[in-house]
Amino acid sequence: MKVMLVAVPLMEMHDGELVPISMDRIKSSPPLGVYWLGGVARRAGHEIDVLDLIALGRVDVPLILRRAGKADIVGISCNTLNWPTARIVAQHIKQAYPELPLIVGGIHPSSYPEHVLHSCPADYIVRGEGERPLVALLEALEGKRGLDTVPGLGYWHEGVIRLNPDLGLASIDEVENLPDPAYDLLPAEIYETLSIESARGCKFKCTFCSTKFLGSWRGVSAENFVNRLERLMPYVERTRYGVFSFIDDLYTLDIERVPRITELILQRGLKVEATLDARATDIIRGRVAEALAPITNHMLIGAECGYDEGLKKIAKGCTTQVLERAAAILNDVGLSRQVVFSFVIGFPFETRDDCLKTIEFASNLLVKHNVRIYLQWYNTIPGSILWDELAAKGLVNIGMYDDFGFFSNPYLFRSGVQLPIDEIKELSEIIQSLNTVLLFTQPADDIIQFAPPEWLWSNDTVNFPSHGVLKDGVRPESPPRLKHSDVAGLVGLHREPDKRRLPMLRPDGC
């Protein structure tokens, strides 16, 4: 069979036109799932076509229909945030080719199978990890087995939705024996990095997180991972930066495996640079930080809260002391400028003072240890424990994510962030003013990355630049209610006046 697999971008409507947003706007890394499923289907003897609309940067309907018209089956992969795009693509394909089998898979149909089957014209949805169900479904469509034997399959049968039992999670052996992704179909010079996976799942269950397979972690062996890395080296050259993206939710959990991977990379003389996610509780253990130093291009650490009570409420399994130690260690091994600590303010349980504690802690982490900071307002994501709590109260429902606009929807924002509007504005202004001061210490750096919701601001509110560039070299004026000196005091930045002239100059003078 000829199998067409479609990757769809995160998009939003601007001035009547759909445009890619977030990581899909900059084309950060290719969608590993679609390319990996392509490799699986090819090994099973099928012809594959990957239509990567993220790389294309638009929903090109004539192109989609032209390619779909040559296929025996079409599969669309989606999560909740790109679900509206997936629905549009599915509708166009089924309208043009009503008899063409259409599958939708990914975390969104896995989490909300009945809703997906009710709200889009897919013939089938696949729940869970897709490698085994895809091969089984192709066999069923060839008449080699019944649909009722395909694991994880959802479909309409005599007017009723039927959901077949799934096989559970793939074993480590099964993951290790997967074929390589079909990166021979990857367009050149489009993506910044090349996606690769060394582990699936996360052993933790943070209440705000909608990551797949929470409570489980399956890491392949160091040897297996580096073997795959070596085989994919020719394809990393197709990226703009020649960098791998380790897309694991938790790369650093096995503190013996991390040094072994780096050791094998160095022994084989592989020139590997990678972006990766790490956990502070791992950074402080064993030789993890030292092992990461030779291969890290960019590292993200989800810190989330700047006070211990908040970390406990979101079940982070971490403390502010651990975060501080991790930042200090990363600075010591020379990684601080490649590391971003990501914080969230406005959890449903948080007050203004709670948010200020996080801003204060994050700011001091930056000043003391030279790391970079992401600060973001809490975003209610379907599939998380906090989302389920809000849904149980009737405040949100999954249908709110069927159409474009939820990224900028004030109601969805306010369903999670339950502070008064004036406090949301005040906190946003504090962060922006704080960043403006820091821009004078390192004007070429993204020191604090922060983007408040656009609808929050009225026309007469000053919106500070947040990416290191001051318009025409002129320092903007502060909002009337805040002065830069007030900001430093309000967030509790600790400094030594006799050593610094600027309120938030870093200890090393950078």
Side-chain angles (χ1 to χ4, degrees):
M1 301 184 74
K2 183 165 184 179
V3 182
M4 174 178 160
L5 299 170
V6 185
V8 296
L10 280 68
M11 305 190 85
E12 190 63 282
M13 194 73 72
H14 286 290
D15 297 326
E17 182 180 356
L18 278 178
V19 295
I21 60 172
S22 187
M23 65 181 65
D24 290 344
R25 178 181 61 83
I26 64 173
K27 299 177 176 61
S28 175
S29 59
L32 177 60
V34 164
Y35 286 94
W36 216 331
L37 288 173
V40 169
R42 177 187 282 165
R43 186 171 69 175
H46 302 281
E47 182 183 353
I48 63 167
D49 175 25
V50 173
L51 179 53
D52 188 344
L53 298 179
I54 302 172
L56 187 65
R58 65 186 186 277
V59 176
D60 186 332
V61 176
L63 175 65
I64 294 168
L65 297 184
R66 188 163 59 249
R67 301 267 284 268
K70 300 176 182 178
D72 298 311
I73 185 171
V74 174
I76 303 173
S77 178
C78 67
N79 55 47
T80 298
L81 301 184
N82 63 20
W83 167 234
T85 315
R87 287 184 74 215
I88 281 183
V89 173
Q91 288 163 2
H92 281 295
I93 291 173
K94 286 306 276 186
Q95 184 176 8
Y97 306 107
E99 303 304 317
L100 180 65
L102 179 63
I103 321 167
V104 177
I107 190 170
H108 192 69
S110 295
S111 302
Y112 306 99
E114 293 94 343
H115 179 80
V116 168
L117 284 169
H118 276 290
S119 57
C120 94
D123 298 292
Y124 310 102
I125 61 99
V126 171
R127 293 158 27 245
E129 295 171 311
E131 294 90 0
R132 292 174 293 176
L134 175 61
V135 173
L137 177 57
L138 294 175
E139 291 174 351
L141 294 176
E142 290 177 319
K144 298 177 181 178
R145 62 193 297 170
L147 287 175
D148 59 342
T149 69
V150 178
L153 190 68
Y155 55 102
W156 288 98
H157 179 72
E158 297 180 351
V160 177
I161 291 177
R162 175 175 290 181
L163 298 177
N164 294 347
D166 61 39
L167 291 175
L169 302 178
S171 67
I172 292 176
D173 283 345
E174 288 172 318
V175 176
E176 288 189 335
N177 287 309
L178 289 173
D180 290 337
Y183 279 149
D184 55 298
L185 302 179
L186 184 75
E189 300 295 325
I190 297 294
Y191 288 105
E192 293 181 341
T193 64
L194 188 74
S195 303
I196 188 171
E197 178 183 72
S198 82
R200 291 188 176 185
C202 177
K203 67 173 289 188
F204 300 94
K205 294 183 179 180
C206 299
T207 61
F208 64 92
C209 185
S210 61
T211 294
K212 295 182 294 184
F213 318 127
L214 291 177
S216 75
W217 186 85
R218 292 157 290 150
V220 303
S221 70
E223 288 74 15
N224 179 273
F225 179 59
V226 176
N227 288 343
R228 197 180 298 278
L229 263 178
E230 190 166 12
R231 292 195 301 271
L232 295 182
M233 288 297 293
Y235 301 112
V236 79
E237 301 304 322
R238 293 192 181 192
T239 66
R240 302 208 309 268
Y241 298 154
V243 172
F244 281 101
S245 178
F246 296 176
I247 67 166
D248 310 16
D249 295 307
L250 195 52
Y251 174 72
T252 56
L253 181 66
D254 186 338
I255 64 170
E256 300 299 328
R257 191 186 72 140
V258 172
R260 179 59 178 159
I261 289 173
T262 299
E263 179 184 355
L264 289 171
I265 288 171
L266 298 178
Q267 282 178 358
R268 299 185 190 185
L270 302 178
K271 296 180 179 179
V272 172
E273 283 189 72
T275 67
L276 56 92
D277 287 7
R279 189 175 169 88
T281 50
D282 300 330
I283 294 296
I284 67 173
R285 301 163 64 211
R287 298 182 295 120
V288 171
E290 293 88 343
L292 292 174
I295 66 169
T296 298
N297 176 277
H298 176 87
M299 182 190 305
L300 179 69
I301 293 180
E304 320 312 352
C305 285
Y307 58 105
D308 288 338
E309 182 184 0
L311 290 167
K312 186 175 181 180
K313 285 183 177 180
I314 62 173
K316 187 65 183 177
C318 186
T319 65
T320 52
Q321 183 180 21
V322 168
L323 294 173
E324 182 101 29
R325 284 181 59 198
I329 290 170
L330 291 168
N331 196 12
D332 289 344
V333 300
L335 279 178
S336 62
R337 298 308 296 151
Q338 287 108 290
V339 176
V340 172
F341 281 74
S342 176
F343 292 87
V344 177
I345 58 173
F347 285 110
F349 56 80
E350 286 193 318
T351 65
R352 169 188 176 274
D353 289 344
D354 292 331
C355 295
L356 283 173
K357 290 176 186 176
T358 291
I359 297 170
E360 174 185 351
F361 179 82
S363 303
N364 281 294
L365 203 67
L366 181 157
V367 170
K368 289 182 186 178
H369 304 296
N370 206 30
V371 297
R372 293 187 294 150
I373 299 298
Y374 286 169
L375 277 165
Q376 56 189 320
W377 283 106
Y378 171 68
N379 186 18
T380 309
I381 302 296
S384 66
I385 294 172
L386 289 179
W387 164 273
D388 292 341
E389 291 175 355
L390 294 172
K393 296 176 182 178
L395 296 176
V396 293
N397 65 73
I398 195 59
M400 294 176 174
Y401 284 77
D402 282 348
D403 298 307
F404 300 100
F406 52 78
F407 285 104
S408 56
N409 187 312
Y411 177 83
L412 278 173
F413 179 89
R414 299 287 288 122
S415 68
V417 180
Q418 298 175 11
L419 299 172
I421 288 292
D422 62 338
E423 292 184 357
I424 296 172
K425 288 184 177 181
E426 180 194 15
L427 291 165
S428 296
E429 290 168 350
I430 287 171
I431 297 169
Q432 291 182 305
S433 296
L434 179 64
N435 199 34
T436 300
V437 173
L438 289 170
L439 287 173
F440 285 91
T441 70
Q442 290 195 357
D445 263 340
D446 293 337
I447 299 173
I448 297 178
Q449 291 198 1
F450 173 72
E454 293 181 4
W455 54 263
L456 189 62
W457 305 104
S458 60
N459 293 332
D460 58 352
T461 302
V462 176
N463 201 352
F464 287 107
S466 60
H467 296 288
V469 179
L470 297 180
K471 186 177 181 180
D472 301 323
V474 178
R475 175 179 180 173
E477 294 299 322
S478 301
R481 291 187 292 125
L482 294 169
K483 297 179 181 178
H484 293 138
S485 58
D486 297 333
V487 173
L490 189 56
V491 302
L493 266 177
H494 307 302
R495 55 191 176 90
E496 301 175 23
D498 57 326
K499 293 183 179 180
R500 302 183 188 88
R501 298 173 66 184
L502 288 173
M504 287 162 280
L505 194 62
R506 289 184 176 147
D508 60 4
C510 295

